[in-house]
Amino acid sequence: MPSSPLPGKVFLVGGGPGDPDLLTVKAVRLLAAADVVVYDNLVSPAVLAHAPPQAQRIYVGKKAGKHALPQEEINQLLVELAREGKQVVRLKGGDPYIFGRGGEEAETLVAAGIPFEAVPGVTAAAGAAAYTGIPLTHRDHAQSCFLVTGHLKDESCNLDWPTLARAGQTLVIYMGLTSLPEISRQLIAHGMAADTPAACVRRATLPDQQVITGTITDLPAQVQAAGLKPPALLIIGRVVSLHTVLHPAAGTLGQES
Ligand code: SAH
């Protein structure tokens, strides 16, 4: 009877928001031991460089708004690689369990009986907060912080606008750039103060990070005028007003436009 190789293992690893210094020690260790790295488009080349030269690198990210590989095929690929006995690092931008579809991949691995481990990463919200000087829950301004998808075309996304429009909280909206005009309209229509501070942060933590600040009313026009493209986060709430005091140009971290 042919002997099948020992099952490998899949590590769902958060690669952080961009700055390679924000990788965890565990991510670096796992990358260095990887047989194969399956990565997507928000992963920096400098992060990928921690994998040994002989490790196989498989790109499965999006191109021009389309998935290079459909999610089901990514899930199956991970199962197949592990069945070949490989140590697989599934490297994702930010944190694997925050809008990263890591949960879906983990479900597939469990169903297939493949050992796996999730390794957290610095999510874009945390990276953007630190590198723009916007403390997301500064207690003078916010008692809670919502991480929200702004991908409004997704049928599963039916945002609770009355809840999101309330004062005393911070919204961090992932994938919200395209829908920003609609998000602005909805929040104001559901009672958010029209002068609520708002920011758009593009390529947070990277040397070419861009920050645009304004209000929930004028941010869409400002973002359009600046021609900002994804990946970008929206941060909405009074905490954004702290940016002018705390932004890293006043200290030593990062850069901004
Ligand atoms: N798992 C990732 C999020 C994946 S969804 C995480 O935890 O960060 C992809 C979205 O994340 C992008 O559309 C953008 O809204 C946001 N994003 C990821 N990296 C970013 C960065 N460096 N700067 C700004 N937004 C980023």
Side-chain angles (χ1 to χ4, degrees), residues 6-255:
L6 284 173
K9 184 165 176 179
V10 177
F11 297 90
L12 303 171
V13 177
D19 181 346
D21 279 358
L22 295 177
L23 271 178
T24 63
V25 173
K26 189 164 184 176
V28 170
R29 183 166 57 73
L30 291 170
L31 277 166
D35 296 316
V36 48
V37 182
V38 179
Y39 67 102
D40 51 35
N41 60 330
L42 289 178
V43 169
S44 298
V47 169
L48 206 54
H50 286 284
Q54 71 275 15
Q56 193 184 352
R57 289 158 165 79
I58 305 178
Y59 176 75
V60 294
K62 286 181 196 173
K63 266 189 188 139
K66 279 178 64 180
H67 274 105
L69 262 194
Q71 186 63 45
E72 303 70 47
E73 288 179 34
I74 297 174
N75 296 349
Q76 280 319 309
L77 175 67
L78 297 177
V79 169
E80 281 160 27
L81 290 168
R83 286 200 173 135
E84 289 167 15
K86 300 206 164 114
Q87 295 291 300
V88 183
V89 168
R90 170 64 176 117
L91 189 59
K92 293 171 160 295
D95 180 274
Y97 281 176
I98 296 183
F99 300 124
R101 297 193 161 198
E104 295 165 44
E105 293 171 11
E107 285 176 319
T108 303
L109 295 168
V110 167
I114 305 288
F116 85 98
E117 204 177 310
V119 180
V122 174
T123 191
Y131 281 48
T132 61
I134 302 178
L136 298 177
T137 60
H138 191 297
R139 65 179 183 163
D140 290 347
H141 302 281
Q143 288 72 52
S144 59
C145 175
F146 288 76
L147 303 185
V148 182
T149 173
H151 199 280
L152 302 182
K153 290 193 193 91
D154 185 341
E155 290 154 38
S156 64
C157 176
N158 191 9
L159 294 184
D160 180 356
W161 297 112
T163 298
L164 297 179
R166 279 192 209 128
Q169 59 193 22
T170 304
L171 309 180
V172 183
I173 306 186
Y174 290 66
M175 299 168 282
L177 198 56
T178 313
S179 302
L180 174 57
E182 175 69 4
I183 290 167
S184 164
R185 262 195 303 278
Q186 292 283 0
L187 289 173
I188 294 168
H190 286 86
M192 181 175 278
D195 65 350
T196 302
C200 181
V201 187
R202 176 170 195 269
R203 286 179 59 81
T205 80
L206 288 157
D208 58 347
Q209 167 176 295
Q210 285 175 283
V211 188
I212 293 183
T213 55
T215 66
I216 189 58
T217 306
D218 65 21
L219 193 68
Q222 292 207 43
V223 163
Q224 199 192 9
L228 240 58
K229 299 272 181 300
L233 280 183
L234 308 174
I235 307 179
I236 302 166
R238 299 274 166 210
V239 292
V240 172
S241 63
L242 294 166
H243 165 70
T244 47
V245 185
L246 301 179
H247 70 90
T252 53
L253 284 174
Q255 293 182 16

